[in-house]
Amino acid sequence: MITENNLSENEENKKFTPESSEETSEDATPKDETVHAEEHEHDEEHEEVQLSLSDTLKEMEKIINAPNAGENFKKFNQLKEKASHYIHDEVEDKKHEYIDAGNAPENFNFEHPSQAKFSALVNIFREKHDTFQKGQEEEQKKNLEHRQNIIERLKSLYTNSEPGTNLFKSIREIKEDWSKAGQVAKSEFKILNNNYFHHLNQFYQMLDLNKEFLEQEYSHNLEKRQHIIERAKQLEQEPVIQKALNELQYLHKLWKEEAEPVAEEFREKTWEEFKEISNKIHERKSELSAAIETEQNENLEKKNQIIAEIKKLSEPSENPNHNYWQNAIKRVEELRSEFLKTGSVPRKLSNQNWNDFKTTLRSFNTTKNTYYKSLKGSQQANLEEKLKLIQTAKDNQNNEEWDIAVPLFKKLQEDWKKIGHVPKSMTNKIWDEFRDACNAFFNNYREKSNASTDNWKENYKNKKALLDELKTVTNEEGSIERIEAIKTSWNNIGKVPRDKISINTEFNKTLREKLKLNKINELELKEEGLSENQLTDKARKIKSQISDLEAEIVKLENNLAFFKNPSRENPLLKETFDSIDEKKTHLETLKQNLHSIIAGE
């Protein structure tokens, strides 16, 4: 008896059988499905290329920490090759920089910081994969024995069935057990599968004597085929073509291994219907190819732009300085990361694009290294200039002509900052010498200046007395005049010792409290003895407050304009009119004070 498993098998294998797997032999893999597989692998590669070295190592670590680590052999190997490639390229870059710096290649010695972690991950995975393989082999042996027992049950069903046996129920149980049985080794599966279907055919031949049961069996099998066909029809509308192709592949596997024989009139009909739908879905491959091609071309353009920017940084239009190269190094590192994260490009241009990127990077490093080599000559000239400044500082560190010496040392310090880098071995030494000479001068200057200010302690006593007097001021009549007199006296007292300078803060705080108590603004005080700088500062503050008051008055007057007939008699507006009057009075007082300051009165 010929079953559907054998019927049109050659025709199925030409186009629709799944890729080589544990369920099918390698020679059954059709040409079209191979193309599909390559596209799928290319799609995976397209995603993986976006990972940096750090991300790749994290993905490897994630795999070995998963409970099913050993079964991810293919993915781990892809990540391992990618990480190895990154590490090799970065080591090569370091080697090129080392050689470009004028060193002998044979003296190069560099271990990539990620090499140890990479090696550890590979070794750990190898152990886990070996353990997984052993477990798989044991599991496959058990599954093989189980499947062989199922075949024996099937064989016994049509050779030694006892009277009264429910054949329909028995064959259902056997077929369900077969579909749930686990995987076996590839070398065993084909023979095992053929053996199973051979005995299934024999069973159906035996059923020729039981037409009613055979019809039930055929009806059940037809229903299974129709479910597969119905799902295939739905895949025609699947927007993600790669998903549709993957599931179609699975449906063909079901058809070949589980869609068992149906009545003669439905065999070719169902197969042709399924095949026609499959052809329509496969025709959509061009959509996937077009989408991938568009994305890869966009990625190529992005990567070429990155290469062009790195090349531009390698060829500055003006003479670059140290700051330029430091910023350029940082930018190139950002561009390098962006390049590695960008997806794949068309395969035929991939190697050329990668080589262009590496060549441009090396060119940048060579130009940068050449610049820093040239600095060695200019650094020597900078060293000589700074040594001259040190000598000048040492010659004048005991100079007590303050009007000349103080500006001189400030100029020396400014000139020091303007001079560029010196050889690294001399940086700390010459800075210490220059700093010591400057410190010696300014320490002497402060010491001698302090000697001329013996009256600072007396100033403190006088200020302390004024502060105590200010604290006694109330808001009685004449208090404002007292405050003005105290403030004027305070202004005429000179400096106090550094450790007593906090008295100024305390005085200003107390002054604000007393002014608030007497409802007067500090800027309205009449005070004498102010220095030119103090007068300028006070005038600036008054101008600012005048500007603020004028803006507030305009705002309040604009608010009144919203009322049809604004009047002081209106209870709602009385407070606003009063506020305007108060602010105008304050404004006039400030303007008079400002005029007095400007006129020098």
Side-chain angles (χ1 to χ4, degrees):
M1 184 176 183
I2 301 175
T3 69
E4 182 64 23
N5 185 263
N6 293 325
L7 180 66
S8 301
E9 184 178 22
N10 292 334
E11 186 175 3
E12 276 191 69
N13 284 342
K14 287 179 184 176
K15 190 169 185 178
F16 301 111
T17 51
E19 287 187 80
S20 175
S21 65
E22 290 189 3
E23 290 78 13
T24 56
S25 63
E26 293 181 3
D27 57 354
T29 304
K31 183 177 180 181
D32 281 5
E33 287 302 323
T34 302
V35 173
H36 172 69
E38 287 176 353
E39 288 177 353
H40 185 58
E41 289 173 2
H42 185 71
D43 186 58
E44 289 178 351
E45 177 188 296
H46 171 63
E47 294 175 358
E48 290 173 1
V49 78
Q50 298 181 19
L51 298 177
S52 64
L53 173 58
S54 175
D55 291 337
T56 303
L57 293 175
K58 286 178 183 177
E59 287 297 314
M60 291 170 67
E61 189 171 0
K62 191 184 297 182
I63 288 176
I64 67 171
N65 287 331
N68 57 340
E71 66 183 70
N72 290 316
F73 179 78
K74 182 177 179 181
K75 184 177 180 181
F76 187 87
N77 259 12
Q78 289 174 342
L79 293 170
K80 181 181 76 172
E81 290 177 9
K82 185 176 293 297
S84 177
H85 181 66
Y86 279 145
I87 290 173
H88 174 269
D89 282 342
E90 290 182 19
V91 170
E92 284 297 305
D93 286 345
K94 291 290 184 183
K95 186 174 181 180
H96 277 283
E97 290 181 14
Y98 183 78
I99 295 172
D100 289 342
N103 301 301
E106 60 271 15
N107 294 332
F108 176 72
N109 183 22
F110 172 76
E111 182 173 349
H112 196 283
S114 297
Q115 180 64 49
K117 182 175 182 179
F118 171 73
S119 300
L121 292 174
V122 171
N123 289 332
I124 293 171
F125 180 80
R126 185 181 295 117
E127 293 175 3
K128 293 201 172 189
H129 181 65
D130 290 344
T131 303
F132 171 76
Q133 286 288 85
K134 290 176 183 177
Q136 284 290 96
E137 290 172 5
E138 293 176 4
E139 184 68 23
Q140 288 173 356
K141 286 179 183 178
K142 292 178 183 178
N143 294 338
L144 175 61
E145 184 178 346
H146 179 52
R147 285 184 180 268
Q148 287 171 338
N149 289 336
I150 294 173
I151 292 173
E152 287 301 317
R153 285 167 54 199
L154 175 59
K155 183 178 178 181
S156 177
L157 188 61
Y158 71 83
T159 57
N160 299 313
S161 295
E162 297 179 2
T165 300
N166 187 333
L167 296 177
F168 185 80
K169 180 180 178 183
S170 299
I171 193 65
R172 281 286 155 268
E173 290 174 351
I174 288 174
K175 288 161 73 173
E176 186 176 353
D177 285 351
W178 182 264
S179 66
K180 292 180 180 178
Q183 295 181 343
V184 298
K186 288 184 179 181
S187 59
E188 301 282 356
F189 183 78
K190 186 174 181 181
I191 297 174
L192 194 68
N193 201 48
N194 289 341
N195 195 12
Y196 170 75
F197 278 103
H198 165 73
H199 290 292
L200 190 61
N201 288 337
Q202 294 297 106
F203 172 77
Y204 283 128
Q205 286 180 4
M206 182 270 287
L207 290 181
D208 281 341
L209 302 176
N210 189 342
K211 298 296 184 182
E212 182 180 352
F213 175 80
L214 188 60
E215 288 176 1
Q216 290 181 4
E217 184 70 3
Y218 279 165
S219 176
H220 176 79
N221 294 345
L222 178 61
E223 185 178 345
K224 185 182 290 188
R225 288 195 174 198
Q226 287 171 339
H227 279 306
I228 294 175
I229 291 171
E230 188 59 33
R231 179 54 188 154
K233 287 180 180 178
Q234 294 174 7
L235 292 180
E236 289 187 73
Q237 308 305 320
E238 170 59 50
V240 183
I241 182 58
Q242 185 63 59
K243 181 179 177 182
L245 290 169
N246 290 346
E247 189 164 347
L248 179 65
Q249 202 170 20
Y250 172 70
L251 292 178
H252 274 277
K253 179 185 175 196
L254 289 181
W255 187 281
K256 183 171 179 61
E257 297 177 9
E258 298 183 22
E260 293 154 351
V262 296
E264 186 72 32
E265 66 267 27
F266 294 112
R267 292 183 186 176
E268 287 297 328
K269 180 181 177 183
T270 53
W271 166 245
E272 288 298 328
E273 184 178 4
F274 183 47
K275 185 171 69 171
E276 182 180 354
I277 296 170
S278 299
N279 283 334
K280 290 179 181 178
I281 295 174
H282 272 276
E283 287 172 1
R284 292 183 61 197
K285 277 186 180 180
S286 58
E287 298 176 24
L288 177 65
S289 299
I292 292 176
E293 183 179 358
T294 299
E295 183 178 356
Q296 289 181 338
N297 284 331
E298 290 175 356
N299 292 338
L300 178 63
E301 185 176 351
K302 289 179 185 176
K303 288 189 172 184
N304 284 336
Q305 288 174 354
I306 290 172
I307 292 171
E309 186 172 349
I310 295 175
K311 188 175 182 181
K312 186 177 180 181
L313 290 171
S314 305
E315 303 169 351
S317 56
E318 300 178 359
N319 292 330
N321 55 20
H322 171 70
N323 286 338
Y324 171 85
W325 283 111
Q326 290 303 303
N327 292 331
I329 290 169
K330 183 178 178 181
R331 178 58 182 156
V332 166
E333 186 55 35
E334 292 172 354
L335 292 171
R336 182 179 180 278
S337 297
E338 186 179 344
F339 185 95
L340 296 176
K341 290 178 182 178
T342 304
S344 66
V345 302
R347 186 165 293 187
K348 62 183 179 181
L349 299 173
S350 179
N351 287 339
Q352 182 61 47
N353 181 252
W354 177 254
N355 289 335
D356 289 346
F357 175 64
K358 298 302 292 182
T359 301
T360 307
L361 269 184
R362 290 195 180 107
S363 175
F364 172 82
N365 288 330
T366 299
T367 308
K368 174 200 67 178
N369 292 340
T370 301
Y371 166 78
Y372 280 105
K373 285 180 186 176
S374 69
L375 278 186
K376 291 181 179 178
S378 61
Q379 285 179 349
Q380 188 60 37
N382 293 340
L383 175 62
E384 292 175 3
E385 287 188 42
K386 287 193 171 183
L387 289 174
K388 290 178 182 177
L389 295 183
I390 291 171
Q391 189 58 49
T392 302
K394 287 181 177 180
D395 291 344
N396 289 276
Q397 65 185 17
N398 296 319
N399 190 341
E400 295 185 3
E401 295 181 19
W402 309 127
D403 293 341
I404 299 174
V406 171
L408 170 65
F409 271 85
K410 289 183 178 179
K411 179 70 165 53
L412 291 174
Q413 291 174 332
E414 291 174 4
D415 291 346
W416 183 278
K417 294 176 183 178
K418 293 176 183 178
I419 299 173
H421 293 273
V422 301
K424 198 169 184 179
S425 59
M426 297 293 293
T427 301
N428 293 335
K429 181 178 182 299
I430 62 172
W431 167 244
D432 289 342
E433 289 186 36
F434 181 68
R435 182 185 58 192
D436 290 345
C438 290
N439 286 346
F441 169 77
F442 283 108
N443 287 338
N444 183 46
Y445 171 67
R446 281 191 291 270
E447 183 180 343
K448 297 296 173 63
S449 296
N450 289 341
S452 63
T453 56
D454 291 336
N455 61 336
W456 284 9
K457 291 181 180 180
E458 187 64 27
N459 291 343
Y460 174 73
K461 289 180 182 179
N462 294 332
K463 283 195 172 185
K464 183 70 169 59
L466 286 174
L467 175 60
D468 292 339
E469 182 182 353
L470 180 63
K471 288 179 179 180
T472 64
V473 173
T474 62
N475 60 345
E476 62 188 2
E477 186 177 351
S479 293
I480 294 175
E481 287 74 10
R482 280 187 67 192
I483 294 173
E484 289 176 341
I486 292 171
K487 186 68 165 63
T488 298
S489 298
W490 182 278
N491 293 337
N492 290 319
I493 299 175
K495 296 180 181 180
V496 299
R498 291 180 182 276
D499 59 337
K500 303 293 185 179
I501 200 168
S502 61
I503 195 173
N504 293 326
T505 303
E506 187 178 358
F507 179 84
N508 289 329
K509 180 181 177 183
T510 305
L511 178 64
R512 285 193 295 270
E513 293 173 355
K514 299 303 179 181
L515 291 173
K516 185 176 180 181
L517 180 64
N518 287 274
K519 298 180 181 179
I520 183 173
N521 189 287
E522 183 179 358
L523 299 177
E524 298 176 24
L525 281 179
K526 297 178 181 177
E527 50 184 320
E528 300 175 0
L530 292 175
S531 66
E532 186 176 344
N533 287 339
Q534 288 173 322
L535 286 171
T536 301
D537 184 57
K538 185 173 182 179
R540 179 183 56 77
K541 290 179 180 178
I542 292 175
K543 286 180 181 178
S544 176
Q545 192 161 356
I546 287 174
S547 178
D548 291 342
L549 276 173
E550 287 175 340
E552 290 175 15
I553 291 169
V554 170
K555 183 178 178 181
L556 291 172
E557 290 177 340
N558 286 340
N559 290 342
L560 290 175
F562 285 106
F563 293 87
K564 188 173 182 181
N565 294 308
S567 169
R568 290 180 181 274
E569 283 68 32
N570 188 333
L572 296 175
L573 302 180
K574 184 178 184 306
E575 186 176 342
T576 303
F577 277 107
D578 290 345
S579 178
I580 292 174
D581 292 342
E582 181 182 344
K583 291 182 184 296
K584 285 183 175 179
T585 301
H586 187 195
L587 177 63
E588 187 59 32
T589 301
L590 289 176
K591 286 182 177 179
Q592 290 176 2
N593 287 345
L594 179 62
H595 176 75
S596 297
I597 292 173
I598 294 173
E601 296 176 359

